[in-house]
C-alpha cells in the first residue's frame, strides 16, 4: 500500500478515535465563525457558547431556512446565515412542499468533499489490493446549470464536484486517465448522448476495466437497459470506426473519434457474440471480464435493485455500497466495503459537519414518534458519540455553510462502532414512499396528485374508493404502479361493477395517469422525461372488495384494526400478490408529462418558478 493510502487510513483512525473531540471542535469553529450571522444572532444573541447553542437554537426543517436561502438567492448577503461567501446553491433531490430544495454551499465545502472522496480508494485497497490499477468504468453525469436571480450557480453536489478545478485537472492529466469515460462526454448535459458515449468508451476498454459503477444502482440498470437496446449500434460504431450520427454534440464526437480511431471488426464481433446471447444473466462479467466488483449505492430505496444487479453479474461481483452523502453535507463511508448488502453500515466522519440525532426508538424498535414537521424539543437530541447500539435516530446536521440543527430527514440505526464513531444502517428517508431513481415521492405528494386525477372521474359518475401504490423496479426503466378500486355510481351489483370495469374508457384512465404524473414533483418529471430513468405511470384497476381483503391481509399479519389505514405504498410480497390477483384492467400514461424543464433551461426565471 502506498504512502498516500496509508495516510488516508491513519486519518480515518484518528478521526474516529477522537470522534467526540473532533465534533466539539467542529461545533466550536462553526459558532466562532458564524456567531454574527443574522440567523444565529436571532437565537444566541452573539454568544458562541455550545451549551447556549443546544438550548436556544431550534431544530428545523427546510421550511424554516428557506426564507433566508431565498433572500440570499435574491441578492442579499450570505452573512444572513454564514460568515463565508456562499458560492453556489446545491440542488437536492429532496423536495419541500413539492418544490426542490436549494442548499447553501461555500468554497471550502469542496475541499471537505474532495477529502471524503479521497478515502474511498484507500479503504477499498485494503480488501482488493491493486484496486487503483486498471480502469474504472464509472458513469458520471452533469446537469445543466441554472442561476439564482443573484447570479449564483445552482447545481447538484455531484455536478459541482465534476466541474471543479480539481476534477478537471485530474481528468485532463494523461497520466491519470483511469476512468473509461472521456471527460467531455461526462460534461455533456444531454444525458442520452453522454450515456451513449460513456457506454461505448466502456466497451472499447472492456479488457482493462477492474471496477464498474455509478452513484446509484438505478443508474447502472439504466446503463444496462441502454446497452440492451443499442448494442447493435455500439458494435457497428466499433466495426466501422465511426460514431453513430445520433451523437451530435461536438465535444462528444471529438473525444470519441480518438477512441474509435480505426475500424475493428474483430473486436465488434466479440461484443456482438456476447450481447446476442439469449440470456443476459452474467452479462457484466462477460463484457468486462476483469471487473472485480460493482461500486454503487444499494441501500435504502436502491435495495430494490439488488436482485437485478445480481442477475446481470450472475452473483459473481460483490456489490460495494461505499458512500452515504447528501447535498447538505457528505456524511459517511463504508469501512467494510465487501460486506453483504444487508450488513452495509456507514461510519459518519466526524469532521464533515456537526451531527446530532433525534431518538426514534429503543432497542431495535423503530417508533416513529416524531412527525416530519413536529417541533422537536431542543434537549431531546443526542450527540454523535452518545447514540446507542440498536437504536434508531433521525439525523440532524449543522454545517459551516449556514444550516443549523437541520433535519436531513434520514432515519438511521446504529449497528456498531468504529473506535468511538458510530456505524449506521440506512433505514429510510422519512415519509418517502416511492423512489426509483433520484426522485423521492412522499405520501403527501402522491395524495395531492391522486386528488387531481380523481376529479377527472367525476363527470363519468365514477368514484375512487381506495388506492395504493408500488414502485415497480422489475421493468426497465422502473415505473410507478397505482392500484385503484373504483365504484360506478348507480349500480351496486358486483356483476355490473365488473362489466363496467371491462367497458372502462381507456382514454379516461390514461388521462388520470398523466394527470397524476403532471402533479408529481418536478424531480419525478425530470426522471420521466429528461433522464428517462422512470417509465410511464400505470393504473391497475382492481375488482370491488380488493381493499377490504388487503385490510384483512394486514390484520392477519398483526396490524391493529383500530389503527389500520390503507398503506399508501405496498412493499410486502404477499400484499402485492393479493392486489395483482385482483387486477381487472391496466392503463399507462400515453405521453411524457409536461413542465419538466428546470434542469435544462438556463434562466433565472426558471429559478423563480421553482423556488
Ligand atoms: P441529495 O441531497 O439529493 O444528494 O440526496 C441525499 C439523500 O439520498 C440522503 O439524505 C439519503 O436519503 C439518500 N442517500 C444518499 N446516500 C445514500 C446511501 N448510501 N444509502 C441510502 N440512501 C442514500
Amino acid at each position: 500500500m502506498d504512502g498516500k493510502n496509508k495516510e488516508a487510513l491513519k486519518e480515518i483512525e484518528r478521526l474516529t478515535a477522537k470522534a467526540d473531540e473532533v465534533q466539539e471542535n467542529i461545533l466550536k469553529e462553526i459558532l466562532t465563525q458564524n456567531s454574527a450571522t443574522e440567523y444565529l444572532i436571532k437565537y444566541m444573541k452573539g454568544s458562541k457558547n455550545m451549551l447556549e447553542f443546544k438550548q436556544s437554537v431550534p431544530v428545523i426543517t427546510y421550511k424554516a431556512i428557506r426564507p433566508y436561502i431565498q433572500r440570499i438567492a435574491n441578492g442579499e448577503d450570505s452573512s444572513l446565515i454564514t460568515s463565508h461567501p456562499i458560492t453556489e446553491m446545491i440542488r437536492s433531490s429532496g423536495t419541500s412542499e413539492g418544490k426542490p430544495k436549494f442548499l447553501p454551499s461555500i468554497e471550502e465545502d469542496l475541499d471537505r468533499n474532495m477529502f471524503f472522496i479521497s478515502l474511498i480508494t484507500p479503504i477499498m485497497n485494503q480488501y482488493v489490493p491493486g484496486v487503483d490499477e486498471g480502469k474504472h468504468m464509472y458513469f458520471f453525469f452533469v446537469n445543466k446549470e441554472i442561476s439564482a436571480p443573484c447570479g449564483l450557480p445552482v447545481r447538484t453536489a455531484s455536478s459541482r464536484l465534476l466541474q471543479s478545478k480539481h476534477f478537471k485537472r485530474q481528468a485532463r492529466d494523461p497520466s491519470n486517465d483511469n476512468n473509461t469515460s472521456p471527460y467531455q462526454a461526462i460534461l455533456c448535459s444531454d444525458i442520452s448522448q453522454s450515456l451513449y458515449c460513456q457506454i461505448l468508451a466502456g466497451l472499447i476498454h472492456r479488457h482493462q476495466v477492474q471496477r464498474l459503477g455509478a452513484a446509484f444502482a438505478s443508474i447502472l440498470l439504466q446503463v444496462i437497459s441502454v446497452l440492451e437496446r443499442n448494442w447493435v449500434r455500439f458494435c457497428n460504431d466499433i466495426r466501422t470506426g465511426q460514431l453513430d450520427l445520433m451523437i451530435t454534440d461536438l465535444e462528444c464526437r471529438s473525444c470519441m473519434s480518438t477512441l474509435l480511431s480505426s475500424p475493428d471488426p474483430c473486436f465488434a464481433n466479440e461484443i456482438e457474440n456476447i450481447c446476442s446471447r439469449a440470456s443476459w444473466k452474467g452479462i457484466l462479467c462477460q463484457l468486462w471480464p476483469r471487473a472485480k466488483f460493482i461500486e454503487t449505492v444499494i441501500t435504502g430505496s436502491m435495495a430494490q435493485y439488488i436482485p437485478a444487479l445480481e442477475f446481470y453479474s450472475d452473483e459473481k461481483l460483490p456489490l460495494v455500497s461505499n458512500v452515504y452523502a447528501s447535498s447538505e453535507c457528505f456524511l459517511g463511508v463504508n469501512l467494510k466495503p465487501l460486506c453483504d448488502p444487508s450488513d452495509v453500515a456507514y461510519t459518519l466522519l466526524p469532521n464533515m459537519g456537526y451531527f446530532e440525532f433525534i431518538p426514534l426508538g429503543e432497542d431495535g424498535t423503530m417508533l416513529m414518534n416524531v412527525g416530519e414537521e413536529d417541533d422537536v424539543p431542543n434537549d431531546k437530541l443526542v450527540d454523535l458519540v452518545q447514540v446507542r447500539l440498536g437504536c434508531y435516530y433521525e439525523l440532524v446536521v449543522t454545517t459551516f455553510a449556514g444550516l443549523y440543527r437541520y433535519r436531513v430527514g434520514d432515519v438511521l440505526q446504529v449497528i456498531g462502532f468504529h473506535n468511538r464513531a458510530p456505524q449506521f444502517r440506512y433505514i429510510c428517508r422519512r415519509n418517502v414512499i416511492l423512489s426509483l431513481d433520484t426522485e423521492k415521492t412522499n405520501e403527501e405528494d402522491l395524495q395531492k396528485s391522486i386528488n387531481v386525477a380523481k376529479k377527472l372521474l367525476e363527470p363519468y359518475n365514477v368514484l375512487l374508493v381506495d388506492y395504493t401504490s408500488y414502485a415497480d423496479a422489475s421493468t426497465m426503466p422502473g415505473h410507478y404502479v397505482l392500484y385503484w378500486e373504483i365504484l360506478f355510481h348507480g349500480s351496486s351489483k358486483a356483476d355490473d361493477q365488473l362489466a363496467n370495469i371491462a367497458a372502462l374508457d381507456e382514454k379516461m384512465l390514461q388521462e388520470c395517469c398523466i394527470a397524476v404524473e403532471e402533479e408529481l414533483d418536478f424531480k419525478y418529471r425530470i426522471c420521466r422525461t429528461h433522464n428517462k430513468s422512470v417509465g410511464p405511470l400505470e393504473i391497475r384497476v382492481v375488482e370491488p372488495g380488493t381493499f377490504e381483503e388487503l385490510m384483512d391481509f394486514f390484520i392477519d399479519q398483526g396490524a391493529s384494526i383500530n389503527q389500520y389505514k390503507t398503506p399508501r405504498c405496498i412493499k410486502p410480497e404477499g400484499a402485492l400478490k393479493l392486489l395483482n390477483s385482483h387486477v381487472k384492467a391496466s392503463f399507462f400514461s400515453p405521453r411524457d408529462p409536461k413542465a419538466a424543464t428546470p434542469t435544462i433551461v438556463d434562466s433565472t426565471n426558471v429559478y423563480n418558478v421553482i423556488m
Side-chain angles (χ1 to χ4, degrees):
M1 194 183 294
D2 72 15
K4 231 164 112 190
N5 283 350
K6 271 195 198 145
E7 268 313 301
L9 296 177
K10 252 171 120 179
E11 186 59 5
I12 295 175
E13 287 308 298
R14 188 190 71 79
L15 290 168
T16 52
K18 296 187 169 180
D20 47 349
E21 208 180 302
V22 176
Q23 279 282 278
E24 209 180 298
N25 288 337
I26 289 274
L27 182 57
K28 260 190 207 153
E29 233 181 290
I30 294 175
L31 295 180
T32 309
Q33 290 179 11
N34 297 340
S35 61
T37 55
E38 181 176 318
Y39 189 87
L40 280 186
I41 285 180
K42 178 172 171 193
Y43 298 107
M44 295 181 66
K45 322 257 174 311
S47 162
K48 297 170 186 165
N49 185 287
M50 289 194 290
L51 262 180
E52 177 73 27
F53 171 81
K54 296 202 169 189
Q55 277 162 11
S56 314
V57 177
V59 181
I60 57 159
T61 60
Y62 188 71
K63 246 188 193 168
I65 195 75
R66 182 195 274 149
Y68 291 86
I69 294 177
Q70 202 152 5
R71 282 167 63 190
I72 295 169
N74 287 335
E76 284 192 56
D77 201 82
S78 308
S79 64
L80 290 178
I81 56 173
T82 173
S83 65
H84 302 266
I86 288 173
T87 49
E88 54 196 295
M89 295 287 176
I90 301 295
R91 208 191 59 233
S92 143
S93 62
T95 54
S96 171
E97 296 171 327
K99 292 180 176 177
K101 291 182 188 173
F102 296 98
L103 298 154
S105 179
I106 57 177
E107 192 63 35
E108 64 176 60
D109 284 339
L110 194 57
D111 298 331
R112 243 186 298 277
N113 296 350
M114 288 310 269
F115 161 78
F116 181 96
I117 301 286
S118 73
L119 302 177
I120 307 306
T121 297
I123 295 171
M124 219 45 231
N125 228 322
Q126 298 174 97
Y127 300 91
V128 186
V131 73
D132 39 4
E133 292 155 16
K135 285 202 177 274
H136 309 178
M137 184 178 68
Y138 200 95
F139 295 90
F140 291 109
F141 301 97
V142 163
N143 293 75
K144 198 158 183 179
E145 197 174 300
I146 57 170
S147 309
C150 65
L152 278 181
V154 180
R155 51 189 167 182
T156 59
S158 54
S159 292
R160 181 191 192 190
L161 266 179
L162 293 167
Q163 289 169 317
S164 70
K165 277 193 222 122
H166 186 92
F167 196 90
K168 266 186 198 155
R169 209 177 320 121
Q170 254 188 13
R172 295 216 164 107
D173 176 358
S175 67
N176 204 359
D177 67 337
N178 58 0
N179 200 52
T180 54
S181 298
Y183 190 50
Q184 293 96 316
I186 294 174
L187 288 191
C188 173
S189 58
D190 178 329
I191 304 276
S192 335
Q193 297 198 41
S194 169
L195 186 50
Y196 186 95
C197 294
Q198 294 193 53
I199 297 175
L200 181 57
L203 287 170
I204 292 170
H205 291 110
R206 59 183 283 262
H207 290 297
Q208 290 99 53
V209 170
Q210 296 230 15
R211 57 205 266 191
L212 49 97
F216 291 101
S218 56
I219 303 175
L220 267 188
L221 287 173
Q222 215 185 326
V223 166
I224 297 170
S225 155
V226 171
L227 181 58
E228 216 165 354
R229 278 182 278 121
N230 291 286
W231 63 264
V232 174
R233 272 196 157 127
F234 291 125
C235 291
N236 209 28
D237 292 0
I238 295 171
R239 181 169 291 117
T240 58
Q242 300 284 331
L243 184 64
D244 197 294
L245 291 174
M246 174 189 91
I247 304 301
T248 52
D249 182 272
L250 294 180
E251 292 280 312
C252 281
R253 290 204 74 84
S254 140
C255 65
M256 295 308 289
S257 66
T258 29
L259 288 178
L260 288 169
S261 51
S262 54
D264 195 342
C266 255
F267 193 51
N269 288 346
E270 250 181 48
I271 297 172
E272 189 178 278
N273 282 341
I274 298 172
C275 293
S276 54
R277 288 179 195 161
S279 165
W280 269 40
K281 188 166 190 229
I283 192 88
L284 294 177
C285 306
Q286 290 152 12
L287 284 175
W288 292 281
R290 289 180 65 204
K292 293 179 173 159
F293 55 89
I294 298 175
E295 231 172 341
T296 193
V297 167
I298 46 154
T299 41
S301 62
M302 294 296 139
Q304 63 194 317
Y305 301 111
I306 294 174
L309 286 180
E310 286 177 341
F311 172 82
Y312 290 116
S313 62
D314 202 10
E315 296 183 46
K316 291 197 179 100
L317 297 176
L319 301 177
V320 171
S321 193
N322 45 20
V323 294
Y324 169 40
S326 74
S327 305
E328 290 84 357
C329 180
F330 280 20
L331 300 159
V333 290
N334 178 358
L335 296 178
K336 295 207 178 92
L338 295 186
C339 68
D340 192 81
S342 56
D343 295 330
V344 172
Y346 302 102
T347 305
L348 288 204
L349 292 174
N351 60 337
M352 298 309 292
Y354 184 66
F355 302 124
E356 293 175 278
F357 298 86
I358 304 171
L360 293 175
E362 302 261 319
D363 307 329
T365 41
M366 185 167 77
L367 303 169
M368 287 298 215
N369 46 9
V370 186
E372 195 179 17
E373 293 290 343
D374 284 357
D375 284 341
V376 179
N378 284 0
D379 60 355
K380 267 266 181 293
L381 271 59
V382 297
D383 288 341
L384 181 73
V385 294
Q386 286 170 345
V387 296
R388 289 171 36 213
L389 194 66
C391 294
Y392 291 79
Y393 298 92
E394 185 185 327
L395 177 65
V396 172
V397 297
T398 295
T399 68
F400 285 92
L403 300 176
Y404 303 96
R405 311 194 97 188
Y406 174 92
R407 294 171 67 178
V408 175
D410 288 347
V411 177
L412 309 172
Q413 184 193 20
V414 184
I415 60 167
F417 287 85
H418 183 78
N419 295 320
R420 298 212 60 199
Q423 302 185 293
F424 292 96
R425 172 180 287 147
Y426 180 92
I427 300 296
C428 62
R429 180 92 178 195
R430 210 174 232 298
N431 201 19
V432 169
I433 56 169
L434 295 167
S435 174
L436 283 161
D437 188 22
T438 49
E439 93 297 355
K440 297 179 175 68
T441 300
N442 65 33
E443 207 169 307
E444 224 180 324
D445 296 337
L446 184 64
Q447 179 72 53
K448 253 179 41 202
S449 312
I450 300 266
N451 287 347
V452 172
K454 223 159 75 170
K455 287 220 163 68
L456 303 178
L457 299 174
E458 283 168 13
Y460 298 87
N461 278 336
V462 177
L463 183 81
L464 179 65
V465 177
D466 212 343
Y467 75 91
T468 187
S469 66
Y470 171 63
D472 186 353
S474 68
T475 55
M476 285 271 212
H479 71 295
Y480 286 12
V481 177
L482 302 180
Y483 293 92
W484 278 19
E485 189 174 324
I486 54 181
L487 183 81
F488 295 83
H489 286 308
S491 153
S492 55
K493 282 205 290 196
D495 283 353
D496 288 349
Q497 292 289 338
L498 285 176
N500 284 333
I501 292 177
L504 260 175
D505 181 351
E506 184 177 4
K507 231 169 138 202
M508 171 180 85
L509 266 295
Q510 285 180 344
E511 281 306 309
C512 291
C513 292
I514 194 72
V516 172
E517 292 200 289
E518 288 187 336
E519 197 59 27
L520 286 173
D521 78 27
F522 95 103
K523 188 74 206 197
Y524 172 88
R525 284 174 280 132
I526 297 248
C527 288
R528 258 285 272 132
T529 57
H530 185 53
N531 300 353
K532 304 276 182 215
S533 50
V534 175
L537 179 140
E538 180 184 3
I539 291 179
R540 294 183 189 164
V541 178
V542 293
E543 60 187 332
T546 303
F547 278 79
E548 241 175 86
E549 266 191 54
L550 187 71
M551 178 172 81
D552 294 341
F553 171 88
F554 281 109
I555 287 168
D556 279 350
Q557 308 269 309
S560 145
I561 194 153
N562 287 325
Q563 293 168 320
Y564 181 81
K565 297 171 211 78
T566 303
R568 291 301 169 216
C569 175
I570 294 293
K571 300 241 160 78
E573 219 162 280
L576 265 182
K577 230 168 143 185
L578 184 153
L579 287 168
N580 284 330
S581 68
H582 291 294
V583 172
K584 289 287 155 209
S586 149
F587 306 87
F588 286 89
S589 259
R591 58 174 166 83
D592 282 358
K594 280 190 221 129
T597 46
T599 53
I600 48 170
V601 178
D602 219 349
S603 98
T604 43
N605 282 343
V606 169
Y607 182 88
N608 285 332
V609 171
I610 54 190
M611 274 299 273

